[in-house]
Amino acid sequence: MCENLMNEKPSIRSVLDKQSRKEKSDYRTRLNASIDCTRLLLSKGMAFRGHNEHEFSRNKGNFIEVLEWYSTQVDKVAHVMLKNAPKNLKLTFPEIQKDIVKAVATATVERAFSAINFIENDLRNKMGDDFLNDCMVTYIEKDVFASLSNDGIMRRFQNMKSRRQQLY
């Protein structure tokens, strides 16, 4: 194992290959729940973050509070989310939230543009504040947004950056 850590390529590959099916299934469940909560907040135009997202805070922000509620409603989610998730795979860090929003927005935009065959690079370049634009697109394109599958969003999320946990 130590030898693999010395060689970057084999160590990353070996770690990914050795992930159990249960770990991948748990990660998929966590990511699905996070995407579902993200979709709800985006469709309602709600803020994600609170001022104090500490475990014992009364106002943790909408994302974490919706995720906590969702965990109480779905047993499969409760067993793998928040307190039951590995510390580095809770999927609640603000950067992860932004990446999920971007994945949802990108999938929404691609779906909308493919419907009218109007994808142009300079149109994408004209977008200003990425996060605000991503939120606006999902809010404006509610019908397209509602029809996206979580699997497509998960693929987009996984392909955005190298993640500690991989699905595919």
Side-chain angles (χ1 to χ4, degrees):
M1 183 71 167
C2 289
E3 293 170 2
N4 280 345
L5 291 175
M6 300 305 279
N7 297 322
E8 290 180 35
K9 290 180 183 176
S11 70
I12 293 170
R13 170 95 42 217
S14 66
V15 168
L16 294 177
D17 290 343
K18 291 181 182 179
Q19 290 176 345
S20 72
R21 286 184 183 170
K22 178 163 178 20
E23 287 172 329
K24 286 185 179 182
S25 174
D26 290 353
Y27 179 68
R28 177 179 284 280
T29 301
R30 278 191 298 278
L31 187 53
N32 248 321
S34 294
I35 290 170
D36 286 344
C37 292
T38 298
R39 292 169 75 127
L40 173 71
L41 294 174
L42 287 172
S43 69
K44 300 300 179 192
M46 297 173 71
F48 277 64
R49 306 233 9 248
H51 292 290
N52 181 359
E53 294 183 346
H54 188 269
E55 183 178 353
F56 302 107
S57 173
R58 289 182 181 244
N59 183 6
K60 298 174 191 168
N62 292 330
F63 181 78
I64 292 177
E65 289 188 12
V66 168
L67 205 52
E68 284 177 348
W69 174 84
Y70 192 73
S71 294
T72 65
Q73 302 301 306
V74 181
D75 286 337
K76 182 179 179 183
V77 173
H79 295 297
V80 298
M81 284 306 294
L82 301 170
K83 293 177 183 176
N84 297 325
K87 287 185 179 181
N88 62 347
L89 286 173
K90 292 183 185 288
L91 300 178
T92 57
F93 187 69
E95 291 299 317
I96 297 293
Q97 293 174 23
K98 288 178 185 177
D99 287 347
I100 293 172
V101 168
K102 189 158 192 75
V104 169
T106 303
T108 304
V109 167
E110 286 182 358
R111 181 83 180 258
F113 280 144
S114 68
I116 59 173
N117 290 324
F118 183 71
I119 299 175
E120 292 181 327
N121 287 333
D122 56 11
L123 180 62
R124 288 184 182 176
N125 292 338
K126 290 178 185 175
M127 291 183 182
D129 182 2
D130 289 342
F131 186 69
L132 181 59
N133 280 328
D134 294 342
C135 291
M136 278 189 346
V137 166
T138 57
Y139 186 73
I140 292 167
E141 296 294 341
K142 290 178 186 176
D143 296 336
V144 174
F145 173 64
S147 69
L148 293 173
S149 73
N150 279 7
D151 285 334
I153 295 168
M154 277 192 243
R155 276 193 297 281
R156 170 81 49 204
F157 175 76
Q158 286 290 295
N159 291 331
M160 290 173 80
K161 295 180 185 174
S162 179
R163 304 283 174 196
R164 290 180 193 232
Q165 182 85 30
Q166 294 293 315
L167 292 173
Y168 308 102

